[in-house]
């Protein structure tokens, strides 16, 4: 299957990873009526795979839009030049907008990926199980979660997984802060028989930039 993806890169802004969450908050407040941009209906969170994802890749801010969110992200790229973040005006003069149709889904061979941003894999229950496990058990837990993430992502993009997903991982732990709370996250590489478009995220808080992958 193919999915439509738009990538808006603010090439002249150089910043830290936390900027992605701040940018999401700024644009979510500016366009409160557009639930695709912030995944909230009033105070209620909308549980779905985020079709708009805010990222900082190699110190450069980026917004990804998928399928029905493409027009909204394109309009931000066309019209929004100033972002008030923590009381500071961030003004961009050089933006790159790329729209493309990309392949997504099960594949006949393994593809190598790298996490460009930490992958938050574990919910509270899984963290307790993970911490009590030995190294082999930890690896199996993470592999199962990774496969589950790909299945959830597929459901969110209306794709039916028609074969068994397999994976191999080479990851290390990294502590991250999310909403002021410490989380165990993971960085490194993995292989899977599944095509993930570059810069899309898997796992928890992908709309804030976590779990962003790139083919190697």
């Amino acid at each position: 299957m193919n999915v439509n993806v738009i990538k808006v890169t603010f090439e002249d802004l150089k910043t830290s990873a936390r900027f992605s969450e701040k940018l999401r908050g700024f644009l979510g407040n500016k366009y409160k009526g557009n639930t695709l941009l912030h995944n909230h209906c009033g105070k209620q969170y909308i549980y779905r795979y985020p079709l708009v994802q805010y990222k900082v890749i190699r110190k450069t801010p980026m917004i990804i839009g998928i399928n029905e969110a493409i027009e909204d992200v394109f309009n931000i790229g066309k019209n929004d030049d100033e972002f008030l973040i923590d009381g500071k005006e961030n003004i961009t003069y050089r933006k790159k907008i790329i729209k493309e149709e990309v392949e997504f889904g099960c594949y006949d061979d393994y593809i190598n990926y790298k996490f460009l941003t930490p992958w938050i894999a574990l919910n509270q229950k899984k963290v307790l199980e993970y911490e009590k496990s030995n190294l082999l058990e930890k690896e199996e837990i993470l592999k199962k979660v990774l496969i589950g993430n790909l299945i959830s992502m597929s459901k969110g993009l209306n794709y039916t997984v028609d074969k068994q997903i397999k994976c191999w991982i080479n990851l290390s732990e990294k502590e991250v802060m999310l909403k002021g709370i410490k989380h165990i996250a993971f960085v490194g590489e993995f292989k899977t028989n599944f095509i993930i478009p570059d810069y899309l995220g898997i796992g928890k808080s992908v709309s804030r930039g976590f779990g962003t992958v790139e083919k190697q």
Side-chain angles (χ1 to χ4, degrees):
M1 145 176 165
N2 288 337
V3 296
N4 294 305
V5 176
I6 190 168
K7 180 175 69 174
V8 177
T9 306
F10 305 98
E11 295 187 315
D12 52 350
L13 296 180
K14 301 300 176 184
T15 187
S16 66
R18 291 189 65 233
F19 188 87
S20 57
E21 183 173 359
K22 303 285 187 179
L23 181 60
R24 178 180 181 271
F26 173 80
L27 290 171
N29 284 326
K30 183 174 181 179
Y31 301 106
K32 287 181 180 179
N34 190 333
T35 61
L36 287 175
L37 295 179
H38 48 74
N39 287 315
H40 282 84
C41 184
K43 294 184 178 180
Q44 188 72 32
Y45 183 77
I46 302 171
Y47 289 94
R48 63 186 175 198
Y49 181 73
L51 299 182
V52 178
Q53 302 177 16
Y54 304 82
K55 306 169 186 291
V56 175
I57 304 298
R58 301 180 182 97
K59 298 185 177 181
T60 303
M62 175 191 302
I63 306 176
I64 299 285
I66 307 165
N67 289 342
E68 57 261 44
I70 279 184
E71 185 176 352
D72 297 311
V73 173
F74 173 78
N75 287 332
I76 289 172
K78 182 178 69 171
N79 300 321
D80 286 84
D81 300 319
E82 300 180 14
F83 310 105
L84 183 62
I85 308 293
D86 290 336
K88 177 186 175 184
E89 281 283 1
N90 294 268
I91 302 174
T92 179
Y93 300 98
R94 198 170 79 241
K95 293 175 282 189
K96 180 187 287 185
I97 301 175
I98 298 175
K99 179 183 175 183
E100 55 189 345
E101 190 175 277
V102 293
E103 197 171 354
F104 175 86
C106 296
Y107 193 61
D108 293 331
D109 200 358
Y110 280 95
I111 302 171
N112 298 323
Y113 296 94
K114 180 179 181 179
F115 280 112
L116 297 181
T117 60
W119 173 44
I120 303 179
L122 307 172
N123 58 28
Q124 192 172 15
K125 182 179 177 181
K126 280 292 182 183
V127 166
L128 295 175
E129 181 186 350
Y130 177 84
E131 290 178 337
K132 294 176 182 177
S133 301
N134 62 38
L135 288 176
L136 287 176
E137 291 168 339
K138 286 180 176 179
E139 181 173 317
E140 286 305 308
I141 288 171
L142 292 178
K143 287 165 71 174
K144 287 179 181 178
V145 171
L146 178 58
I147 291 168
N149 285 173
L150 294 177
I151 292 171
S152 295
M153 181 186 193
S154 296
K155 289 178 180 177
L157 298 178
N158 298 314
Y159 173 77
T160 300
V161 176
D162 57 4
K163 64 168 60 178
Q164 183 181 8
I165 300 175
K166 301 177 182 179
C167 66
W168 169 94
I169 61 175
N170 181 21
L171 304 172
S172 57
E173 295 181 13
K174 180 180 176 65
E175 189 177 90
V176 299
M177 296 292 292
L178 176 61
K179 298 181 180 179
I181 301 172
K182 291 180 181 178
H183 291 263
I184 299 174
F186 301 89
V187 294
E189 300 182 355
F190 65 95
K191 298 179 183 179
T192 184
N193 58 332
F194 199 92
I195 301 173
I196 311 167
D198 282 344
Y199 307 117
L200 267 61
I202 61 173
K204 294 170 64 67
S205 291
V206 300
S207 65
R208 294 175 170 85
F210 288 98
T212 301
V213 304
E214 183 181 60
K215 294 183 190 71
Q216 297 298 289

